[in-house]
Amino acid sequence: MSRSTADSASSVPLPTPKERRRLREALALSEEEVAEAMGVTRATVRSWETGRSAPRGRKREAYAKLLGTPGPTDLVRPEAEPPAEPRAQAQEHSQQPQPQPQASAAASASGNVRPRAAVKRAAKPPRAPSPAPAISPGPARKGPSKPPERLRPVAAEAPAEPAAPAEPAAPAGPAQPPALTPEEAFDALYAYAAPGLVHQTYLLTGRRRLSREAVEYAFHHAWQRWPEVAVDADPVGWVRATAYEYALSPWHRFRRAHRHPDAPPTEANRRALLGALLELPPSYRRTVLLYDGLGLDLPETAAETEASTPAAANRLLHARAVLGRRIPELAEPEALHRCLSALVAEAPTATLLPARAVRAGSERRTRGWTRAVLGVTAALIVVTGFTAATAPTRYIPVNAPGEAVDGVPVRGGPQKLSPEDLELRDKLRAEPNPGPERLVPAVG
């Protein structure tokens, strides 16, 4: 594959991760079928739909066609007309029977063929999607399910086609507002979303200090990854997911400051609802807050909680049942939706750091981690060099002295002579007796 072909395949536009999941479910395709068609694993398809990674090259183009996004081969290109044939040859061809069009390998080579799973599904009669538990939709969502305002960076406009020279110049319209700098865009996002996120995180955890810490942590990461967050279709959702993940981490139970929730509110209704929410498991608590509190639809809720749509539906049903048993007035989905929506829409009262301080803290934290990594690396290099310089170049065996061990037999062979034995040996060597007489020891 040439470089130009690879660049064009890598530039195929893809929908947002949440939209990818919605399009797959609209086509009644499972993750296994998409993975089989693309030649990847199910975990890879799930990472594509959660935004952790994205396909490249040929797989990106095939994935875009599977979801229904037009790729570069789907664009209309002018084709050169075939050369004109002689009149007689044209008449001869017109008299011959024309072959019927058939699907061949040439059609596959053109790139306009869907992956294997989609082709198999097209050959079979359509089937209904996997049944999910029936969920009462609750009251009709008034207005958009998400906040109407979106803080998106100003995208660079595509180069326009050259205008005709004969057209007169149009009168200048109103001046366009200047594009926001990264710092200004981050500050606007922080001022818009941070207070509400602190209030939502408090409803999830029941701890005000932890909620402020989670939101500051999320915005620290957002500033570190600002090029990624700035082009995200839902930057508020990106920060919200990070804050929820940090706030619901089970490791906070080992911290003394966050071991127990804060004092419950004085109002009886709020105290009962907050207590019932805190009795739910974290994943169920998060699901019911996103669906009934913020008004997200079921696929978006499942995508943000990194669960399948049936699993999110089951969590929602279980959470509603538990809340209905604890608070009979909220047994109906409409009443629960109204109560949670009013609770989420309350004006936040938390005092937050200014956006400039959050940005400075994120940069200071990044510098600290960088210096720590460099320090550890330098220490490892020094220790390795010192070990290599002082290590012996050859092996010197160590002869340990013998020790008497109980239960082990005495080694064979000559033993060490005592002083008497040495004296006798010297006497025998000094006075040898060559005759047959016996050696009679003298009595002294």
Side-chain angles (χ1 to χ4, degrees), residues 90 179 231:
V231 299

Side-chain angles (χ1 to χ4, degrees), residues 428 431-442:
L428 290 176
E431 301 177 1
N433 187 7
E437 294 84 358
R438 290 185 176 180
L439 180 62
V440 179

Side-chain angles (χ1 to χ4, degrees), residues 72-444:
T73 57
D74 299 332
L75 303 177
V76 179
R77 300 178 180 176
E79 299 181 357
E81 297 182 359
E85 298 181 354
R87 183 182 304 272
Q89 188 176 359
Q91 292 178 358
E92 180 181 357
H93 281 291
S94 63
Q95 293 175 1
Q96 295 178 357
Q98 298 296 333
Q100 296 294 331
Q102 297 179 356
S104 60
S108 302
S110 64
N112 296 326
V113 180
R114 296 181 297 175
R116 291 175 293 173
V119 173
K120 294 179 181 179
R121 184 167 296 281
K124 297 179 181 179
R127 62 180 179 86
S130 56
I135 297 180
S136 175
R141 304 284 197 258
K142 297 182 179 180
S145 59
K146 293 182 179 180
E149 300 181 12
R150 294 287 182 231
L151 301 173
R152 300 181 183 177
V154 179
E157 298 182 356
E161 298 180 358
E167 289 291 335
Q176 296 293 336
L180 297 178
T181 62
E183 291 78 7
E184 295 173 348
F186 177 83
D187 295 351
L189 176 63
Y190 181 81
Y192 171 73
L197 287 179
V198 171
H199 184 60
Q200 297 167 24
T201 312
Y202 168 70
L203 297 179
L204 281 178
T205 60
R207 298 164 175 84
R208 294 179 177 84
R209 183 177 176 182
L210 178 59
S211 62
R212 291 192 296 268
E213 181 181 334
V215 173
E216 291 178 6
Y217 172 86
F219 276 98
H220 283 171
H221 277 256
W223 181 242
Q224 293 173 7
R225 298 168 175 81
W226 185 247
E228 174 189 348
V229 180
V231 299
D232 194 89
D234 185 13
V236 177
W238 193 99
V239 180
R240 179 178 62 233
T242 307
Y244 285 7
E245 289 288 343
Y246 181 85
L248 296 177
S249 174
W251 297 105
H252 295 307
R253 70 184 64 177
F254 299 106
R255 302 172 60 184
R256 179 176 299 179
H258 305 319
R259 190 172 299 173
H260 303 288
D262 297 344
T266 56
E267 297 85 351
N269 296 334
R270 289 169 52 88
R271 183 171 62 252
L273 180 56
L274 188 59
L277 282 175
L278 294 180
E279 288 185 358
L280 293 172
S283 57
Y284 293 74
R285 197 186 317 159
R286 183 177 179 181
T287 301
V288 72
L289 182 64
L290 290 174
Y291 187 83
D292 285 328
L294 298 181
L296 273 66
D297 56 5
L298 196 58
E300 290 181 345
T301 303
E304 185 160 332
T305 56
E306 296 186 1
S308 62
T309 304
N314 288 327
R315 291 175 182 176
L316 183 60
L317 290 176
H318 177 77
R320 284 179 173 178
V322 172
L323 293 177
R325 287 195 301 268
R326 285 293 307 273
I327 308 175
E329 295 81 3
L330 303 181
E332 295 296 329
E334 294 83 0
L336 178 62
H337 170 64
R338 286 194 303 269
C339 187
L340 281 179
S341 299
L343 196 61
V344 170
E346 290 180 353
T349 58
T351 56
L352 301 175
L353 295 176
R356 180 179 300 179
V358 174
R359 285 191 283 105
S362 176
E363 295 170 358
R364 184 167 56 253
R365 185 173 182 172
T366 303
R367 288 194 299 268
W369 278 109
T370 304
R371 291 172 182 173
V373 171
L374 292 178
V376 172
T377 305
L380 289 177
I381 293 175
V382 171
V383 171
T384 304
F386 178 78
T387 304
T390 58
T393 57
R394 60 188 181 87
Y395 177 71
I396 302 177
V398 179
N399 294 327
E403 296 181 0
V405 181
D406 297 337
V408 179
V410 181
R411 294 174 54 185
Q415 302 296 324
K416 186 177 180 180
L417 299 178
S418 61
E420 293 80 5
D421 296 336
L422 293 176
E423 183 180 359
L424 179 60
R425 185 190 64 180
D426 296 339
K427 185 175 181 180
L428 290 176
R429 289 179 179 177
E431 301 177 1
N433 187 7
E437 294 84 358
R438 290 185 176 180
L439 180 62
V440 179
V443 178

